[in-house]
Amino acid sequence: MDLNWLRDFICLERTLSFTRAAEERNITQSAFSRRVKSLENWMGIALIDRATYPVQLSPAGKQFLPVAKAIIADLIDARQAIREQDQGDKSFQRFAVLHTISVNYLTVRLEELEAEIDDLKARVISDSLSTCCQLLAEGGCDFLICYRHPDVPLILDEDQFSRIDLGFEKLVPFALKKAVASNGWVLPGTAHAPVPYLAYERSSFLGTVVDQTISKQLLHLNVRYVDGLVEAIKRRVLNGSGIGWLPYSAIHTELAAGTLQQMGPRELEAQMTLSVFCSPERLDEKGLEVWKRFGG
Protein backbone atom coordinates (compact mmCIF):
# COMPACT_ATOMS: atom_id res chain seq x y z
CA MET A 1 0.00 0.00 0.00
CA ASP A 2 1.31 3.43 -1.01
CA LEU A 3 -0.11 6.42 0.87
CA ASN A 4 -0.12 8.35 -2.42
CA TRP A 5 -2.73 5.91 -3.74
CA LEU A 6 -5.12 7.10 -1.04
CA ARG A 7 -4.34 10.75 -1.74
CA ASP A 8 -4.94 10.15 -5.46
CA PHE A 9 -8.24 8.43 -4.74
CA ILE A 10 -9.46 11.28 -2.52
CA CYS A 11 -8.38 13.87 -5.08
CA LEU A 12 -10.21 12.00 -7.85
CA GLU A 13 -13.39 11.85 -5.77
CA ARG A 14 -13.27 15.63 -5.31
CA THR A 15 -12.41 16.59 -8.91
CA LEU A 16 -14.30 13.78 -10.72
CA SER A 17 -11.69 14.12 -13.46
CA PHE A 18 -8.57 12.03 -14.09
CA THR A 19 -7.05 14.95 -16.00
CA ARG A 20 -7.57 17.59 -13.33
CA ALA A 21 -6.69 15.22 -10.49
CA ALA A 22 -3.41 14.31 -12.21
CA GLU A 23 -2.61 18.02 -12.62
CA GLU A 24 -3.29 18.69 -8.94
CA ARG A 25 -1.18 15.70 -7.92
CA ASN A 26 1.57 16.92 -10.28
CA ILE A 27 1.97 13.65 -12.20
CA THR A 28 1.06 12.53 -15.70
CA GLN A 29 -2.46 11.29 -16.30
CA SER A 30 -1.19 7.84 -17.27
CA ALA A 31 0.81 7.54 -14.05
CA PHE A 32 -2.16 8.78 -12.03
CA SER A 33 -4.44 6.21 -13.67
CA ARG A 34 -1.96 3.44 -12.90
CA ARG A 35 -1.83 4.42 -9.23
CA VAL A 36 -5.63 4.45 -8.93
CA LYS A 37 -5.71 1.05 -10.62
CA SER A 38 -3.04 -0.19 -8.21
CA LEU A 39 -5.26 0.81 -5.29
CA GLU A 40 -8.20 -1.02 -6.85
CA ASN A 41 -6.04 -4.10 -7.39
CA TRP A 42 -4.92 -3.96 -3.76
CA MET A 43 -8.55 -3.65 -2.63
CA GLY A 44 -9.64 -6.37 -5.02
CA ILE A 45 -12.65 -4.37 -6.25
CA ALA A 46 -13.38 -1.42 -8.55
CA LEU A 47 -13.56 1.86 -6.66
CA ILE A 48 -14.26 4.07 -9.70
CA ASP A 49 -17.16 3.88 -12.13
CA ARG A 50 -15.43 4.86 -15.37
CA ALA A 51 -18.55 4.33 -17.50
CA THR A 52 -20.11 7.61 -16.33
CA TYR A 53 -19.19 11.18 -17.23
CA PRO A 54 -17.86 12.66 -15.16
CA VAL A 55 -16.43 9.62 -13.41
CA GLN A 56 -18.05 8.64 -10.11
CA LEU A 57 -17.15 6.46 -7.19
CA SER A 58 -18.54 2.95 -7.31
CA PRO A 59 -20.58 1.76 -4.31
CA ALA A 60 -17.38 0.22 -2.94
CA GLY A 61 -15.54 3.48 -3.55
CA LYS A 62 -18.16 5.43 -1.60
CA GLN A 63 -17.84 2.97 1.25
CA PHE A 64 -14.04 3.17 1.21
CA LEU A 65 -13.77 7.00 0.93
CA PRO A 66 -14.23 7.84 4.65
CA VAL A 67 -11.84 5.01 5.52
CA ALA A 68 -9.16 6.44 3.21
CA LYS A 69 -9.59 9.92 4.71
CA ALA A 70 -9.41 8.54 8.24
CA ILE A 71 -6.26 6.51 7.46
CA ILE A 72 -4.45 9.59 6.17
CA ALA A 73 -5.61 11.78 9.05
CA ASP A 74 -4.61 9.19 11.66
CA LEU A 75 -1.18 8.68 10.10
CA ILE A 76 -0.53 12.42 9.92
CA ASP A 77 -1.68 12.91 13.51
CA ALA A 78 0.49 10.03 14.71
CA ARG A 79 3.52 11.30 12.80
CA GLN A 80 3.05 14.81 14.15
CA ALA A 81 2.55 13.63 17.71
CA ILE A 82 5.72 11.51 17.59
CA ARG A 83 7.75 14.35 16.08
CA GLU A 84 6.43 16.85 18.62
CA GLN A 85 7.15 14.51 21.52
CA ASP A 86 10.69 14.01 20.26
CA GLN A 87 11.29 17.71 19.61
CA GLY A 88 9.45 19.01 22.65
CA ASP A 89 7.40 21.44 20.54
CA LYS A 90 3.86 20.22 21.05
CA SER A 91 2.76 23.70 22.08
CA PHE A 92 3.62 25.24 18.70
CA GLN A 93 0.78 26.60 16.57
CA ARG A 94 1.46 25.61 12.95
CA PHE A 95 0.67 27.99 10.11
CA ALA A 96 0.83 27.00 6.42
CA VAL A 97 1.06 30.05 4.16
CA LEU A 98 2.27 31.33 0.83
CA HIS A 99 5.75 32.85 1.15
CA THR A 100 4.55 36.39 0.39
CA ILE A 101 1.82 36.15 3.04
CA SER A 102 4.41 35.03 5.58
CA VAL A 103 6.67 37.96 4.78
CA ASN A 104 4.10 40.71 4.29
CA TYR A 105 1.31 39.75 6.69
CA LEU A 106 1.90 36.88 9.10
CA THR A 107 5.21 38.06 10.55
CA VAL A 108 3.63 41.27 11.80
CA ARG A 109 0.38 39.58 12.85
CA LEU A 110 2.24 36.98 14.90
CA GLU A 111 4.12 39.72 16.74
CA GLU A 112 0.74 41.20 17.66
CA LEU A 113 -0.60 37.81 18.74
CA GLU A 114 2.49 37.11 20.83
CA ALA A 115 1.86 40.38 22.69
CA GLU A 116 -1.76 39.35 23.32
CA ILE A 117 -1.36 35.63 24.14
CA ASP A 118 1.07 34.50 26.82
CA ASP A 119 3.78 32.05 25.76
CA LEU A 120 2.49 31.72 22.20
CA LYS A 121 4.81 29.64 20.00
CA ALA A 122 4.43 29.48 16.23
CA ARG A 123 5.89 27.44 13.41
CA VAL A 124 5.38 28.85 9.91
CA ILE A 125 5.50 26.58 6.86
CA SER A 126 5.90 28.62 3.67
CA ASP A 127 5.13 26.65 0.53
CA SER A 128 2.96 26.47 -2.58
CA LEU A 129 -0.80 26.78 -2.19
CA SER A 130 -1.39 23.15 -3.16
CA THR A 131 1.07 21.94 -0.51
CA CYS A 132 -0.42 24.25 2.13
CA CYS A 133 -3.93 22.99 1.34
CA GLN A 134 -2.72 19.41 1.58
CA LEU A 135 -1.12 20.13 4.96
CA LEU A 136 -4.41 21.46 6.32
CA ALA A 137 -6.44 18.60 4.84
CA GLU A 138 -4.10 16.01 6.33
CA GLY A 139 -3.65 17.67 9.72
CA GLY A 140 -0.08 18.78 9.06
CA CYS A 141 -0.88 22.34 10.16
CA ASP A 142 -3.36 24.06 12.42
CA PHE A 143 -4.06 27.12 10.28
CA LEU A 144 -3.99 27.78 6.54
CA ILE A 145 -3.71 31.44 5.51
CA CYS A 146 -4.10 32.00 1.79
CA TYR A 147 -5.50 34.20 -0.93
CA ARG A 148 -8.80 33.37 -2.60
CA HIS A 149 -9.97 34.49 -6.02
CA PRO A 150 -13.30 33.70 -7.74
CA ASP A 151 -11.58 32.45 -10.91
CA VAL A 152 -9.15 30.12 -9.12
CA PRO A 153 -10.72 27.37 -6.96
CA LEU A 154 -8.74 26.16 -3.98
CA ILE A 155 -7.46 22.61 -3.92
CA LEU A 156 -9.42 22.13 -0.73
CA ASP A 157 -12.84 20.92 0.34
CA GLU A 158 -13.86 24.16 2.03
CA ASP A 159 -16.97 22.58 3.55
CA GLN A 160 -14.75 20.61 5.92
CA PHE A 161 -13.16 23.70 7.49
CA SER A 162 -14.10 26.95 9.17
CA ARG A 163 -13.03 30.16 7.42
CA ILE A 164 -12.51 33.78 8.39
CA ASP A 165 -11.89 36.45 5.78
CA LEU A 166 -9.16 38.77 7.04
CA GLY A 167 -9.22 41.42 4.32
CA PHE A 168 -8.52 42.11 0.69
CA GLU A 169 -5.38 42.31 -1.41
CA LYS A 170 -4.96 43.83 -4.87
CA LEU A 171 -2.59 42.36 -7.42
CA VAL A 172 -1.61 45.18 -9.77
CA PRO A 173 0.87 45.63 -12.68
CA PHE A 174 3.77 47.88 -11.69
CA ALA A 175 7.04 49.00 -13.24
CA LEU A 176 9.95 51.14 -12.14
CA LYS A 177 9.00 54.74 -12.90
CA LYS A 178 12.43 55.56 -14.33
CA ALA A 179 12.33 52.52 -16.61
CA VAL A 180 8.88 53.47 -17.88
CA ALA A 181 10.08 56.98 -18.74
CA SER A 182 13.31 55.85 -20.43
CA ASN A 183 11.80 52.95 -22.38
CA GLY A 184 8.40 54.39 -23.19
CA TRP A 185 6.51 51.36 -21.87
CA VAL A 186 2.77 51.69 -22.28
CA LEU A 187 0.13 49.01 -21.84
CA PRO A 188 -1.39 47.32 -23.76
CA GLY A 189 1.78 47.58 -25.88
CA THR A 190 1.89 46.74 -29.58
CA ALA A 191 2.88 43.77 -31.70
CA HIS A 192 5.99 45.66 -32.80
CA ALA A 193 6.82 46.95 -29.30
CA PRO A 194 5.64 44.43 -26.68
CA VAL A 195 6.21 45.36 -23.06
CA PRO A 196 8.78 43.22 -21.17
CA TYR A 197 6.88 41.05 -18.72
CA LEU A 198 8.06 39.44 -15.47
CA ALA A 199 5.71 36.50 -14.95
CA TYR A 200 4.83 34.12 -12.16
CA GLU A 201 5.01 30.38 -12.72
CA ARG A 202 1.73 29.48 -14.42
CA SER A 203 1.21 26.60 -12.01
CA SER A 204 1.33 28.94 -9.00
CA PHE A 205 -1.76 30.55 -7.50
CA LEU A 206 -0.67 34.10 -8.35
CA GLY A 207 0.36 32.99 -11.83
CA THR A 208 -3.11 31.57 -12.42
CA VAL A 209 -4.77 34.73 -11.10
CA VAL A 210 -2.69 36.96 -13.39
CA ASP A 211 -3.26 34.68 -16.39
CA GLN A 212 -7.01 34.79 -15.80
CA THR A 213 -6.88 38.58 -15.53
CA ILE A 214 -4.81 39.31 -18.62
CA SER A 215 -6.65 36.71 -20.72
CA LYS A 216 -9.62 39.08 -20.72
CA GLN A 217 -7.53 41.91 -22.23
CA LEU A 218 -5.63 42.32 -25.50
CA LEU A 219 -2.07 42.81 -24.30
CA HIS A 220 1.25 42.60 -26.08
CA LEU A 221 3.73 41.22 -23.57
CA ASN A 222 7.20 39.79 -24.00
CA VAL A 223 7.92 37.31 -21.19
CA ARG A 224 11.48 38.00 -20.04
CA TYR A 225 11.55 36.26 -16.68
CA VAL A 226 9.52 33.65 -14.79
CA ASP A 227 9.57 32.94 -11.05
CA GLY A 228 7.26 31.61 -8.38
CA LEU A 229 8.07 34.17 -5.67
CA VAL A 230 6.64 37.66 -5.30
CA GLU A 231 9.93 38.87 -3.81
CA ALA A 232 11.85 37.72 -6.89
CA ILE A 233 9.42 39.43 -9.29
CA LYS A 234 9.55 42.58 -7.12
CA ARG A 235 13.34 42.66 -7.26
CA ARG A 236 13.34 42.45 -11.05
CA VAL A 237 10.69 45.18 -11.25
CA LEU A 238 12.82 47.44 -9.04
CA ASN A 239 15.82 46.71 -11.27
CA GLY A 240 13.85 48.10 -14.22
CA SER A 241 13.66 44.75 -16.05
CA GLY A 242 9.97 45.01 -16.96
CA ILE A 243 6.46 45.04 -15.53
CA GLY A 244 5.14 42.59 -12.98
CA TRP A 245 1.94 42.06 -11.04
CA LEU A 246 2.62 42.75 -7.37
CA PRO A 247 0.41 42.75 -4.25
CA TYR A 248 0.14 46.11 -2.54
CA SER A 249 1.27 44.62 0.78
CA ALA A 250 4.66 43.80 -0.77
CA ILE A 251 5.40 47.30 -2.12
CA HIS A 252 3.91 49.85 0.30
CA THR A 253 7.39 51.26 1.05
CA GLU A 254 8.20 51.70 -2.65
CA LEU A 255 4.82 53.26 -3.33
CA ALA A 256 5.34 55.76 -0.53
CA ALA A 257 8.76 56.61 -1.99
CA GLY A 258 7.24 57.07 -5.45
CA THR A 259 9.64 54.69 -7.21
CA LEU A 260 6.96 52.51 -8.83
CA GLN A 261 4.32 53.33 -11.41
CA GLN A 262 1.06 51.47 -11.90
CA MET A 263 0.63 50.29 -15.48
CA GLY A 264 -2.51 50.02 -17.56
CA PRO A 265 -6.22 50.44 -16.73
CA ARG A 266 -8.01 49.17 -13.64
CA GLU A 267 -9.28 46.18 -15.61
CA LEU A 268 -5.77 44.75 -15.18
CA GLU A 269 -6.10 44.71 -11.39
CA ALA A 270 -7.07 41.52 -9.60
CA GLN A 271 -8.65 41.61 -6.16
CA MET A 272 -8.03 38.68 -3.84
CA THR A 273 -9.41 37.86 -0.41
CA LEU A 274 -7.02 36.98 2.41
CA SER A 275 -8.54 34.15 4.44
CA VAL A 276 -7.63 31.81 7.27
CA PHE A 277 -8.93 28.23 7.50
CA CYS A 278 -8.84 25.72 10.33
CA SER A 279 -10.72 22.93 12.10
CA PRO A 280 -11.55 24.50 15.49
CA GLU A 281 -12.34 21.11 17.02
CA ARG A 282 -8.72 20.04 16.44
CA LEU A 283 -7.16 23.10 18.10
CA ASP A 284 -5.73 23.15 21.60
CA GLU A 285 -6.41 25.96 24.07
CA LYS A 286 -3.76 28.26 22.58
CA GLY A 287 -4.98 27.52 19.08
CA LEU A 288 -8.54 28.40 20.01
CA GLU A 289 -7.30 31.70 21.42
CA VAL A 290 -5.49 32.43 18.14
CA TRP A 291 -8.65 31.58 16.21
CA LYS A 292 -10.64 33.91 18.47
CA ARG A 293 -8.18 36.74 17.79
CA PHE A 294 -8.59 36.19 14.06
CA GLY A 295 -12.30 36.76 14.59
CA GLY A 296 -13.61 33.25 15.16
Side-chain angles (χ1 to χ4, degrees):
M1 166 65 72
D2 185 334
L3 191 59
N4 283 319
W5 297 353
L6 300 181
R7 293 187 173 121
D8 293 343
F9 173 64
I10 293 169
C11 184
L12 182 57
E13 181 274 334
R14 179 170 49 78
T15 61
L16 301 180
S17 166
F18 277 87
T19 301
R20 183 178 171 190
E23 290 175 352
E24 289 190 8
R25 298 290 292 146
N26 198 30
I27 59 175
T28 64
Q29 184 174 335
S30 59
F32 181 88
S33 297
R34 286 196 299 271
R35 295 205 312 205
V36 172
K37 191 63 178 176
S38 294
L39 176 62
E40 291 179 309
N41 290 339
W42 187 87
M43 289 289 295
I45 192 170
L47 302 174
I48 308 298
D49 183 355
R50 295 167 176 79
T52 63
Y53 182 80
V55 296
Q56 302 288 336
L57 296 190
S58 68
K62 293 177 182 178
Q63 184 178 356
F64 181 63
L65 179 64
V67 177
K69 290 181 176 179
I71 289 172
I72 291 179
D74 288 346
L75 284 173
I76 295 296
D77 286 345
R79 180 184 66 181
Q80 192 64 30
I82 292 170
R83 286 180 175 179
E84 288 170 348
Q85 184 177 15
D86 179 64
Q87 297 171 6
D89 61 358
K90 189 174 182 179
S91 60
F92 276 72
Q93 303 303 313
R94 301 163 298 165
F95 297 81
V97 297
L98 296 179
H99 187 269
T100 188
I101 294 175
S102 175
V103 172
N104 298 305
Y105 169 78
L106 187 56
T107 299
V108 174
R109 188 69 183 99
L110 281 177
E111 290 175 353
E112 297 170 347
L113 290 170
E114 287 166 355
E116 299 168 355
I117 303 173
D118 292 337
D119 197 31
L120 176 65
K121 300 178 181 180
R123 168 170 286 115
V124 178
I125 307 163
S126 299
D127 214 309
S128 67
L129 182 59
S130 60
T131 298
C132 290
C133 287
Q134 182 174 321
L135 283 169
L136 180 66
E138 297 181 352
C141 69
D142 302 299
F143 302 95
L144 163 66
I145 303 180
C146 65
Y147 294 129
R148 295 167 50 245
H149 187 275
D151 292 337
V152 187
L154 291 180
I155 307 172
L156 185 73
D157 185 353
E158 295 190 37
D159 293 337
Q160 295 186 12
F161 303 97
S162 297
R163 187 190 87 218
I164 297 173
D165 293 334
L166 304 172
F168 299 97
E169 176 79 273
K170 280 189 176 181
L171 195 60
V172 180
F174 284 101
L176 187 68
K177 189 175 291 186
K178 291 181 180 179
V180 173
S182 62
N183 294 292
W185 295 335
V186 178
L187 286 178
T190 67
H192 296 293
V195 179
Y197 173 37
L198 313 172
Y200 295 106
E201 288 283 357
R202 303 186 90 178
S203 60
S204 69
F205 177 80
L206 294 183
T208 305
V209 170
V210 174
D211 280 352
Q212 290 287 337
T213 302
I214 65 179
S215 68
K216 302 170 186 177
Q217 308 293 324
L218 180 59
L219 300 180
H220 298 278
L221 301 172
N222 178 18
V223 179
R224 302 294 299 273
Y225 177 77
V226 178
D227 205 303
L229 295 178
V230 168
E231 287 67 27
I233 299 295
K234 173 184 172 180
R235 178 162 185 159
R236 295 301 303 269
V237 168
L238 292 175
N239 285 340
S241 301
I243 71 165
W245 268 253
L246 297 170
Y248 269 106
S249 63
I251 55 170
H252 53 84
T253 301
E254 290 76 16
L255 289 176
T259 58
L260 292 179
Q261 177 176 326
Q262 183 170 339
M263 303 292 290
R266 288 191 174 183
E267 288 76 14
L268 293 178
E269 299 178 2
Q271 180 163 286
M272 305 176 294
T273 304
L274 181 66
S275 302
V276 55
F277 293 86
C278 82
S279 295
E281 65 276 6
R282 301 183 71 175
L283 299 177
D284 60 16
E285 184 177 346
K286 280 283 195 302
L288 288 172
E289 185 63 25
V290 171
W291 185 241
K292 179 181 177 181
R293 301 285 178 169
F294 277 130

